PDB file of all heavy atoms in Angstrom:
ATOM      1  N   LEU A  85     -27.444   7.312   0.166  1.00  0.00           N
ATOM      2  CA  LEU A  85     -26.212   6.975   0.862  1.00  0.00           C
ATOM      3  C   LEU A  85     -26.508   5.930   1.913  1.00  0.00           C
ATOM      4  O   LEU A  85     -27.622   5.840   2.434  1.00  0.00           O
ATOM      5  CB  LEU A  85     -25.529   8.200   1.475  1.00  0.00           C
ATOM      6  CG  LEU A  85     -26.162   8.897   2.666  1.00  0.00           C
ATOM      7  CD1 LEU A  85     -25.098   9.680   3.431  1.00  0.00           C
ATOM      8  CD2 LEU A  85     -27.223   9.894   2.201  1.00  0.00           C
ATOM      9  N   VAL A  86     -25.505   5.120   2.215  1.00  0.00           N
ATOM     10  CA  VAL A  86     -25.643   4.033   3.186  1.00  0.00           C
ATOM     11  C   VAL A  86     -24.763   4.351   4.383  1.00  0.00           C
ATOM     12  O   VAL A  86     -23.554   4.574   4.245  1.00  0.00           O
ATOM     13  CB  VAL A  86     -25.233   2.681   2.570  1.00  0.00           C
ATOM     14  CG1 VAL A  86     -25.399   1.559   3.600  1.00  0.00           C
ATOM     15  CG2 VAL A  86     -26.075   2.387   1.327  1.00  0.00           C
ATOM     16  N   LEU A  87     -25.369   4.367   5.571  1.00  0.00           N
ATOM     17  CA  LEU A  87     -24.646   4.627   6.814  1.00  0.00           C
ATOM     18  C   LEU A  87     -24.479   3.327   7.587  1.00  0.00           C
ATOM     19  O   LEU A  87     -25.423   2.548   7.700  1.00  0.00           O
ATOM     20  CB  LEU A  87     -25.413   5.639   7.681  1.00  0.00           C
ATOM     21  CG  LEU A  87     -25.715   6.991   7.030  1.00  0.00           C
ATOM     22  CD1 LEU A  87     -26.565   7.828   7.979  1.00  0.00           C
ATOM     23  CD2 LEU A  87     -24.425   7.724   6.672  1.00  0.00           C
ATOM     24  N   GLN A  88     -23.288   3.105   8.117  1.00  0.00           N
ATOM     25  CA  GLN A  88     -23.030   1.881   8.866  1.00  0.00           C
ATOM     26  C   GLN A  88     -23.303   2.074  10.361  1.00  0.00           C
ATOM     27  O   GLN A  88     -22.767   2.977  10.987  1.00  0.00           O
ATOM     28  CB  GLN A  88     -21.583   1.415   8.660  1.00  0.00           C
ATOM     29  CG  GLN A  88     -21.369   0.795   7.308  1.00  0.00           C
ATOM     30  CD  GLN A  88     -20.015   0.139   7.154  1.00  0.00           C
ATOM     31  OE1 GLN A  88     -19.478   0.089   6.061  1.00  0.00           O
ATOM     32  NE2 GLN A  88     -19.448  -0.386   8.227  1.00  0.00           N
ATOM     33  N   THR A  89     -24.124   1.196  10.902  1.00  0.00           N
ATOM     34  CA  THR A  89     -24.500   1.301  12.314  1.00  0.00           C
ATOM     35  C   THR A  89     -23.441   0.729  13.249  1.00  0.00           C
ATOM     36  O   THR A  89     -23.564   0.853  14.464  1.00  0.00           O
ATOM     37  CB  THR A  89     -25.834   0.584  12.567  1.00  0.00           C
ATOM     38  OG1 THR A  89     -25.712  -0.797  12.158  1.00  0.00           O
ATOM     39  CG2 THR A  89     -26.960   1.242  11.792  1.00  0.00           C
ATOM     40  N   ASP A  90     -22.382   0.105  12.697  1.00  0.00           N
ATOM     41  CA  ASP A  90     -21.334  -0.430  13.560  1.00  0.00           C
ATOM     42  C   ASP A  90     -20.191   0.569  13.750  1.00  0.00           C
ATOM     43  O   ASP A  90     -19.208   0.268  14.420  1.00  0.00           O
ATOM     44  CB  ASP A  90     -20.773  -1.742  12.996  1.00  0.00           C
ATOM     45  CG  ASP A  90     -20.113  -1.568  11.630  1.00  0.00           C
ATOM     46  OD1 ASP A  90     -20.452  -0.583  10.926  1.00  0.00           O
ATOM     47  OD2 ASP A  90     -19.263  -2.408  11.268  1.00  0.00           O
ATOM     48  N   GLU A  91     -20.304   1.776  13.175  1.00  0.00           N
ATOM     49  CA  GLU A  91     -19.255   2.772  13.335  1.00  0.00           C
ATOM     50  C   GLU A  91     -19.255   3.295  14.766  1.00  0.00           C
ATOM     51  O   GLU A  91     -20.313   3.565  15.342  1.00  0.00           O
ATOM     52  CB  GLU A  91     -19.477   3.950  12.374  1.00  0.00           C
ATOM     53  CG  GLU A  91     -19.302   3.595  10.916  1.00  0.00           C
ATOM     54  CD  GLU A  91     -17.861   3.319  10.561  1.00  0.00           C
ATOM     55  OE1 GLU A  91     -16.969   3.657  11.362  1.00  0.00           O
ATOM     56  OE2 GLU A  91     -17.613   2.742   9.484  1.00  0.00           O
ATOM     57  N   PRO A  92     -18.054   3.493  15.374  1.00  0.00           N
ATOM     58  CA  PRO A  92     -18.001   3.952  16.763  1.00  0.00           C
ATOM     59  C   PRO A  92     -18.560   5.346  16.976  1.00  0.00           C
ATOM     60  O   PRO A  92     -19.002   5.682  18.075  1.00  0.00           O
ATOM     61  CB  PRO A  92     -16.502   3.894  17.095  1.00  0.00           C
ATOM     62  CG  PRO A  92     -15.806   3.927  15.780  1.00  0.00           C
ATOM     63  CD  PRO A  92     -16.717   3.213  14.827  1.00  0.00           C
ATOM     64  N   ASP A  93     -18.546   6.188  15.922  1.00  0.00           N
ATOM     65  CA  ASP A  93     -19.070   7.543  16.068  1.00  0.00           C
ATOM     66  C   ASP A  93     -20.363   7.732  15.275  1.00  0.00           C
ATOM     67  O   ASP A  93     -20.658   8.819  14.783  1.00  0.00           O
ATOM     68  CB  ASP A  93     -18.029   8.570  15.645  1.00  0.00           C
ATOM     69  CG  ASP A  93     -17.540   8.345  14.213  1.00  0.00           C
ATOM     70  OD1 ASP A  93     -17.883   7.290  13.637  1.00  0.00           O
ATOM     71  OD2 ASP A  93     -16.824   9.210  13.693  1.00  0.00           O
ATOM     72  N   ARG A  94     -21.154   6.674  15.169  1.00  0.00           N
ATOM     73  CA  ARG A  94     -22.376   6.725  14.359  1.00  0.00           C
ATOM     74  C   ARG A  94     -23.394   7.727  14.898  1.00  0.00           C
ATOM     75  O   ARG A  94     -24.278   8.160  14.172  1.00  0.00           O
ATOM     76  CB  ARG A  94     -23.024   5.342  14.296  1.00  0.00           C
ATOM     77  CG  ARG A  94     -23.432   4.775  15.654  1.00  0.00           C
ATOM     78  CD  ARG A  94     -23.841   3.317  15.554  1.00  0.00           C
ATOM     79  NE  ARG A  94     -24.193   2.742  16.842  1.00  0.00           N
ATOM     80  CZ  ARG A  94     -23.314   2.275  17.716  1.00  0.00           C
ATOM     81  NH1 ARG A  94     -22.025   2.329  17.430  1.00  0.00           N
ATOM     82  NH2 ARG A  94     -23.694   1.754  18.868  1.00  0.00           N
ATOM     83  N   HIS A  95     -23.283   8.080  16.199  1.00  0.00           N
ATOM     84  CA  HIS A  95     -24.227   9.035  16.777  1.00  0.00           C
ATOM     85  C   HIS A  95     -23.659  10.450  16.797  1.00  0.00           C
ATOM     86  O   HIS A  95     -24.178  11.317  17.489  1.00  0.00           O
ATOM     87  CB  HIS A  95     -24.600   8.614  18.203  1.00  0.00           C
ATOM     88  CG  HIS A  95     -25.250   7.274  18.288  1.00  0.00           C
ATOM     89  ND1 HIS A  95     -26.382   6.952  17.568  1.00  0.00           N
ATOM     90  CD2 HIS A  95     -24.917   6.156  18.985  1.00  0.00           C
ATOM     91  CE1 HIS A  95     -26.727   5.695  17.836  1.00  0.00           C
ATOM     92  NE2 HIS A  95     -25.856   5.194  18.675  1.00  0.00           N
ATOM     93  N   ASN A  96     -22.592  10.666  16.037  1.00  0.00           N
ATOM     94  CA  ASN A  96     -21.959  11.980  16.033  1.00  0.00           C
ATOM     95  C   ASN A  96     -22.989  13.050  15.677  1.00  0.00           C
ATOM     96  O   ASN A  96     -23.666  12.944  14.650  1.00  0.00           O
ATOM     97  CB  ASN A  96     -20.813  11.997  15.015  1.00  0.00           C
ATOM     98  CG  ASN A  96     -19.839  13.108  15.307  1.00  0.00           C
ATOM     99  OD1 ASN A  96     -20.245  14.239  15.499  1.00  0.00           O
ATOM    100  ND2 ASN A  96     -18.564  12.777  15.354  1.00  0.00           N
ATOM    101  N   PRO A  97     -23.109  14.111  16.497  1.00  0.00           N
ATOM    102  CA  PRO A  97     -24.162  15.104  16.267  1.00  0.00           C
ATOM    103  C   PRO A  97     -24.030  15.859  14.955  1.00  0.00           C
ATOM    104  O   PRO A  97     -25.023  16.351  14.426  1.00  0.00           O
ATOM    105  CB  PRO A  97     -24.026  16.050  17.470  1.00  0.00           C
ATOM    106  CG  PRO A  97     -22.656  15.822  18.005  1.00  0.00           C
ATOM    107  CD  PRO A  97     -22.359  14.376  17.735  1.00  0.00           C
ATOM    108  N   PHE A  98     -22.805  15.979  14.388  1.00  0.00           N
ATOM    109  CA  PHE A  98     -22.756  16.735  13.143  1.00  0.00           C
ATOM    110  C   PHE A  98     -23.178  15.916  11.936  1.00  0.00           C
ATOM    111  O   PHE A  98     -23.226  16.429  10.822  1.00  0.00           O
ATOM    112  CB  PHE A  98     -21.411  17.417  12.914  1.00  0.00           C
ATOM    113  CG  PHE A  98     -20.197  16.525  12.854  1.00  0.00           C
ATOM    114  CD1 PHE A  98     -20.153  15.383  12.060  1.00  0.00           C
ATOM    115  CD2 PHE A  98     -19.075  16.855  13.587  1.00  0.00           C
ATOM    116  CE1 PHE A  98     -19.011  14.612  11.995  1.00  0.00           C
ATOM    117  CE2 PHE A  98     -17.928  16.072  13.524  1.00  0.00           C
ATOM    118  CZ  PHE A  98     -17.895  14.965  12.741  1.00  0.00           C
ATOM    119  N   LEU A  99     -23.536  14.650  12.123  1.00  0.00           N
ATOM    120  CA  LEU A  99     -24.127  13.875  11.041  1.00  0.00           C
ATOM    121  C   LEU A  99     -25.446  14.507  10.611  1.00  0.00           C
ATOM    122  O   LEU A  99     -25.790  14.533   9.434  1.00  0.00           O
ATOM    123  CB  LEU A  99     -24.349  12.425  11.475  1.00  0.00           C
ATOM    124  CG  LEU A  99     -25.051  11.511  10.465  1.00  0.00           C
ATOM    125  CD1 LEU A  99     -24.239  11.388   9.183  1.00  0.00           C
ATOM    126  CD2 LEU A  99     -25.300  10.140  11.070  1.00  0.00           C
ATOM    127  N   GLN A 100     -26.162  15.057  11.570  1.00  0.00           N
ATOM    128  CA  GLN A 100     -27.438  15.712  11.272  1.00  0.00           C
ATOM    129  C   GLN A 100     -27.228  16.902  10.347  1.00  0.00           C
ATOM    130  O   GLN A 100     -27.997  17.118   9.407  1.00  0.00           O
ATOM    131  CB  GLN A 100     -28.117  16.172  12.564  1.00  0.00           C
ATOM    132  CG  GLN A 100     -29.434  16.908  12.336  1.00  0.00           C
ATOM    133  CD  GLN A 100     -30.099  17.331  13.636  1.00  0.00           C
ATOM    134  OE1 GLN A 100     -29.739  16.870  14.710  1.00  0.00           O
ATOM    135  NE2 GLN A 100     -31.062  18.220  13.540  1.00  0.00           N
ATOM    136  N   ASP A 101     -26.168  17.690  10.597  1.00  0.00           N
ATOM    137  CA  ASP A 101     -25.882  18.838   9.742  1.00  0.00           C
ATOM    138  C   ASP A 101     -25.539  18.379   8.324  1.00  0.00           C
ATOM    139  O   ASP A 101     -25.956  18.995   7.344  1.00  0.00           O
ATOM    140  CB  ASP A 101     -24.720  19.653  10.315  1.00  0.00           C
ATOM    141  CG  ASP A 101     -25.077  20.333  11.620  1.00  0.00           C
ATOM    142  OD1 ASP A 101     -26.274  20.595  11.836  1.00  0.00           O
ATOM    143  OD2 ASP A 101     -24.172  20.595  12.419  1.00  0.00           O
ATOM    144  N   PHE A 102     -24.760  17.314   8.220  1.00  0.00           N
ATOM    145  CA  PHE A 102     -24.367  16.777   6.918  1.00  0.00           C
ATOM    146  C   PHE A 102     -25.601  16.354   6.116  1.00  0.00           C
ATOM    147  O   PHE A 102     -25.757  16.712   4.950  1.00  0.00           O
ATOM    148  CB  PHE A 102     -23.426  15.594   7.122  1.00  0.00           C
ATOM    149  CG  PHE A 102     -23.051  14.875   5.858  1.00  0.00           C
ATOM    150  CD1 PHE A 102     -22.115  15.407   4.993  1.00  0.00           C
ATOM    151  CD2 PHE A 102     -23.637  13.656   5.537  1.00  0.00           C
ATOM    152  CE1 PHE A 102     -21.762  14.746   3.817  1.00  0.00           C
ATOM    153  CE2 PHE A 102     -23.289  12.990   4.372  1.00  0.00           C
ATOM    154  CZ  PHE A 102     -22.352  13.540   3.510  1.00  0.00           C
ATOM    155  N   LEU A 103     -26.477  15.599   6.757  1.00  0.00           N
ATOM    156  CA  LEU A 103     -27.685  15.133   6.077  1.00  0.00           C
ATOM    157  C   LEU A 103     -28.618  16.296   5.732  1.00  0.00           C
ATOM    158  O   LEU A 103     -29.253  16.306   4.679  1.00  0.00           O
ATOM    159  CB  LEU A 103     -28.417  14.116   6.947  1.00  0.00           C
ATOM    160  CG  LEU A 103     -27.674  12.797   7.198  1.00  0.00           C
ATOM    161  CD1 LEU A 103     -28.484  11.909   8.128  1.00  0.00           C
ATOM    162  CD2 LEU A 103     -27.375  12.082   5.887  1.00  0.00           C
ATOM    163  N   MET A 104     -28.674  17.285   6.608  1.00  0.00           N
ATOM    164  CA  MET A 104     -29.509  18.451   6.342  1.00  0.00           C
ATOM    165  C   MET A 104     -29.040  19.170   5.087  1.00  0.00           C
ATOM    166  O   MET A 104     -29.843  19.557   4.224  1.00  0.00           O
ATOM    167  CB  MET A 104     -29.492  19.420   7.528  1.00  0.00           C
ATOM    168  CG  MET A 104     -30.384  20.639   7.354  1.00  0.00           C
ATOM    169  SD  MET A 104     -30.235  21.808   8.725  1.00  0.00           S
ATOM    170  CE  MET A 104     -30.754  20.754  10.092  1.00  0.00           C
ATOM    171  N   GLY A 105     -27.721  19.341   4.971  1.00  0.00           N
ATOM    172  CA  GLY A 105     -27.189  20.012   3.791  1.00  0.00           C
ATOM    173  C   GLY A 105     -27.513  19.259   2.517  1.00  0.00           C
ATOM    174  O   GLY A 105     -27.929  19.855   1.508  1.00  0.00           O
ATOM    175  N   ALA A 106     -27.338  17.936   2.543  1.00  0.00           N
ATOM    176  CA  ALA A 106     -27.616  17.123   1.357  1.00  0.00           C
ATOM    177  C   ALA A 106     -29.099  17.153   1.004  1.00  0.00           C
ATOM    178  O   ALA A 106     -29.476  17.317  -0.169  1.00  0.00           O
ATOM    179  CB  ALA A 106     -27.155  15.687   1.591  1.00  0.00           C
ATOM    180  N   CYS A 107     -29.966  17.003   2.007  1.00  0.00           N
ATOM    181  CA  CYS A 107     -31.411  16.935   1.759  1.00  0.00           C
ATOM    182  C   CYS A 107     -31.979  18.270   1.286  1.00  0.00           C
ATOM    183  O   CYS A 107     -32.821  18.311   0.380  1.00  0.00           O
ATOM    184  CB  CYS A 107     -32.130  16.460   3.011  1.00  0.00           C
ATOM    185  SG  CYS A 107     -31.763  14.759   3.465  1.00  0.00           S
ATOM    186  N   GLU A 108     -31.531  19.364   1.876  1.00  0.00           N
ATOM    187  CA  GLU A 108     -32.047  20.670   1.476  1.00  0.00           C
ATOM    188  C   GLU A 108     -31.654  21.001   0.043  1.00  0.00           C
ATOM    189  O   GLU A 108     -32.454  21.539  -0.727  1.00  0.00           O
ATOM    190  CB  GLU A 108     -31.550  21.753   2.433  1.00  0.00           C
ATOM    191  CG  GLU A 108     -32.215  21.705   3.802  1.00  0.00           C
ATOM    192  CD  GLU A 108     -31.787  22.854   4.691  1.00  0.00           C
ATOM    193  OE1 GLU A 108     -30.761  23.507   4.374  1.00  0.00           O
ATOM    194  OE2 GLU A 108     -32.466  23.103   5.704  1.00  0.00           O
ATOM    195  N   THR A 109     -30.411  20.679  -0.319  1.00  0.00           N
ATOM    196  CA  THR A 109     -29.966  20.963  -1.686  1.00  0.00           C
ATOM    197  C   THR A 109     -30.702  20.084  -2.682  1.00  0.00           C
ATOM    198  O   THR A 109     -31.151  20.555  -3.738  1.00  0.00           O
ATOM    199  CB  THR A 109     -28.448  20.744  -1.804  1.00  0.00           C
ATOM    200  OG1 THR A 109     -27.781  21.661  -0.940  1.00  0.00           O
ATOM    201  CG2 THR A 109     -27.974  20.970  -3.235  1.00  0.00           C
ATOM    202  N   ALA A 110     -30.830  18.799  -2.371  1.00  0.00           N
ATOM    203  CA  ALA A 110     -31.565  17.902  -3.260  1.00  0.00           C
ATOM    204  C   ALA A 110     -33.004  18.373  -3.437  1.00  0.00           C
ATOM    205  O   ALA A 110     -33.538  18.400  -4.556  1.00  0.00           O
ATOM    206  CB  ALA A 110     -31.536  16.478  -2.716  1.00  0.00           C
ATOM    207  N   SER A 111     -33.629  18.764  -2.340  1.00  0.00           N
ATOM    208  CA  SER A 111     -35.022  19.220  -2.388  1.00  0.00           C
ATOM    209  C   SER A 111     -35.172  20.466  -3.256  1.00  0.00           C
ATOM    210  O   SER A 111     -36.150  20.617  -3.984  1.00  0.00           O
ATOM    211  CB  SER A 111     -35.517  19.497  -0.969  1.00  0.00           C
ATOM    212  OG  SER A 111     -36.856  19.938  -0.976  1.00  0.00           O
ATOM    213  N   ALA A 112     -34.181  21.362  -3.193  1.00  0.00           N
ATOM    214  CA  ALA A 112     -34.232  22.577  -3.998  1.00  0.00           C
ATOM    215  C   ALA A 112     -34.220  22.267  -5.492  1.00  0.00           C
ATOM    216  O   ALA A 112     -34.720  23.048  -6.306  1.00  0.00           O
ATOM    217  CB  ALA A 112     -33.055  23.485  -3.640  1.00  0.00           C
ATOM    218  N   HIS A 113     -33.676  21.107  -5.850  1.00  0.00           N
ATOM    219  CA  HIS A 113     -33.659  20.672  -7.249  1.00  0.00           C
ATOM    220  C   HIS A 113     -34.836  19.765  -7.583  1.00  0.00           C
ATOM    221  O   HIS A 113     -34.937  19.259  -8.707  1.00  0.00           O
ATOM    222  CB  HIS A 113     -32.356  19.926  -7.547  1.00  0.00           C
ATOM    223  CG  HIS A 113     -31.154  20.820  -7.668  1.00  0.00           C
ATOM    224  ND1 HIS A 113     -30.800  21.438  -8.833  1.00  0.00           N
ATOM    225  CD2 HIS A 113     -30.247  21.208  -6.735  1.00  0.00           C
ATOM    226  CE1 HIS A 113     -29.706  22.162  -8.643  1.00  0.00           C
ATOM    227  NE2 HIS A 113     -29.350  22.043  -7.380  1.00  0.00           N
ATOM    228  N   GLY A 114     -35.708  19.514  -6.594  1.00  0.00           N
ATOM    229  CA  GLY A 114     -36.832  18.618  -6.823  1.00  0.00           C
ATOM    230  C   GLY A 114     -36.465  17.152  -6.709  1.00  0.00           C
ATOM    231  O   GLY A 114     -37.159  16.288  -7.250  1.00  0.00           O
ATOM    232  N   TRP A 115     -35.376  16.866  -6.000  1.00  0.00           N
ATOM    233  CA  TRP A 115     -34.930  15.497  -5.805  1.00  0.00           C
ATOM    234  C   TRP A 115     -35.130  15.093  -4.347  1.00  0.00           C
ATOM    235  O   TRP A 115     -35.363  15.929  -3.479  1.00  0.00           O
ATOM    236  CB  TRP A 115     -33.448  15.356  -6.167  1.00  0.00           C
ATOM    237  CG  TRP A 115     -33.153  15.480  -7.631  1.00  0.00           C
ATOM    238  CD1 TRP A 115     -33.491  16.524  -8.461  1.00  0.00           C
ATOM    239  CD2 TRP A 115     -32.439  14.541  -8.447  1.00  0.00           C
ATOM    240  NE1 TRP A 115     -33.045  16.289  -9.731  1.00  0.00           N
ATOM    241  CE2 TRP A 115     -32.388  15.081  -9.759  1.00  0.00           C
ATOM    242  CE3 TRP A 115     -31.841  13.314  -8.199  1.00  0.00           C
ATOM    243  CZ2 TRP A 115     -31.767  14.433 -10.810  1.00  0.00           C
ATOM    244  CZ3 TRP A 115     -31.215  12.657  -9.248  1.00  0.00           C
ATOM    245  CH2 TRP A 115     -31.184  13.204 -10.541  1.00  0.00           C
ATOM    246  N   THR A 116     -35.042  13.797  -4.074  1.00  0.00           N
ATOM    247  CA  THR A 116     -35.108  13.296  -2.704  1.00  0.00           C
ATOM    248  C   THR A 116     -33.797  12.591  -2.361  1.00  0.00           C
ATOM    249  O   THR A 116     -32.976  12.309  -3.241  1.00  0.00           O
ATOM    250  CB  THR A 116     -36.266  12.298  -2.514  1.00  0.00           C
ATOM    251  OG1 THR A 116     -36.062  11.186  -3.392  1.00  0.00           O
ATOM    252  CG2 THR A 116     -37.606  12.942  -2.811  1.00  0.00           C
ATOM    253  N   VAL A 117     -33.613  12.329  -1.076  1.00  0.00           N
ATOM    254  CA  VAL A 117     -32.437  11.596  -0.599  1.00  0.00           C
ATOM    255  C   VAL A 117     -32.900  10.362   0.157  1.00  0.00           C
ATOM    256  O   VAL A 117     -33.712  10.463   1.083  1.00  0.00           O
ATOM    257  CB  VAL A 117     -31.552  12.466   0.314  1.00  0.00           C
ATOM    258  CG1 VAL A 117     -30.381  11.641   0.855  1.00  0.00           C
ATOM    259  CG2 VAL A 117     -31.029  13.681  -0.436  1.00  0.00           C
ATOM    260  N   THR A 118     -32.414   9.215  -0.242  1.00  0.00           N
ATOM    261  CA  THR A 118     -32.717   7.964   0.434  1.00  0.00           C
ATOM    262  C   THR A 118     -31.569   7.613   1.372  1.00  0.00           C
ATOM    263  O   THR A 118     -30.415   7.547   0.945  1.00  0.00           O
ATOM    264  CB  THR A 118     -32.917   6.819  -0.582  1.00  0.00           C
ATOM    265  OG1 THR A 118     -34.073   7.089  -1.369  1.00  0.00           O
ATOM    266  CG2 THR A 118     -33.095   5.484   0.121  1.00  0.00           C
ATOM    267  N   ILE A 119     -31.893   7.408   2.646  1.00  0.00           N
ATOM    268  CA  ILE A 119     -30.898   7.033   3.641  1.00  0.00           C
ATOM    269  C   ILE A 119     -31.108   5.567   3.998  1.00  0.00           C
ATOM    270  O   ILE A 119     -32.186   5.168   4.434  1.00  0.00           O
ATOM    271  CB  ILE A 119     -31.016   7.868   4.938  1.00  0.00           C
ATOM    272  CG1 ILE A 119     -31.050   9.364   4.614  1.00  0.00           C
ATOM    273  CG2 ILE A 119     -29.875   7.531   5.890  1.00  0.00           C
ATOM    274  CD1 ILE A 119     -29.799   9.895   3.988  1.00  0.00           C
ATOM    275  N   ALA A 120     -30.076   4.752   3.808  1.00  0.00           N
ATOM    276  CA  ALA A 120     -30.139   3.338   4.169  1.00  0.00           C
ATOM    277  C   ALA A 120     -29.089   3.049   5.221  1.00  0.00           C
ATOM    278  O   ALA A 120     -28.092   3.768   5.341  1.00  0.00           O
ATOM    279  CB  ALA A 120     -29.913   2.457   2.939  1.00  0.00           C
TER     280      ALA A 120
END
Side-chain angles (χ1 to χ4, degrees):
L85 70 157
V86 181
L87 303 176
Q88 285 189 210
T89 57
D90 62 337
E91 292 290 346
D93 56 350
R94 60 190 178 278
H95 300 305
N96 200 311
F98 59 49
L99 176 61
Q100 178 179 346
D101 292 334
F102 175 77
L103 295 177
M104 182 184 300
C107 293
E108 288 185 344
T109 297
S111 180
H113 285 274
W115 290 55
T116 60
V117 177
T118 295
I119 309 296

